[in-house]
Amino acid sequence: MVFDILLGGGIFGYAIWQLSKYIKKSRKGKCAACELNKNCQTKCH
């Protein structure tokens, strides 16, 4: 019983953490959130 609650809480917490990371990245915009933004040749900058 306790293990199930801890496992469920861990999965739920991880999902919230990933969702918050995604929202923060999407607010920055397409190029700012890109991993290659410093070496990119597109005209976003």
Side-chain angles (χ1 to χ4, degrees), residues 2-43:
V2 174
F3 177 74
D4 294 336
I5 293 171
L6 289 175
L7 184 63
I11 292 171
F12 188 70
Y14 180 75
I16 290 174
W17 178 59
Q18 288 295 322
L19 185 62
S20 68
K21 278 180 34 177
Y22 173 76
I23 290 171
K24 285 178 186 177
K25 242 185 209 188
S26 67
R27 284 185 183 168
K28 290 181 183 178
K30 181 180 174 185
C31 287
C34 181
E35 297 168 350
L36 301 174
N37 64 354
K38 292 187 178 27
N39 300 323
C40 187
Q41 299 298 321
T42 62
K43 296 184 182 194

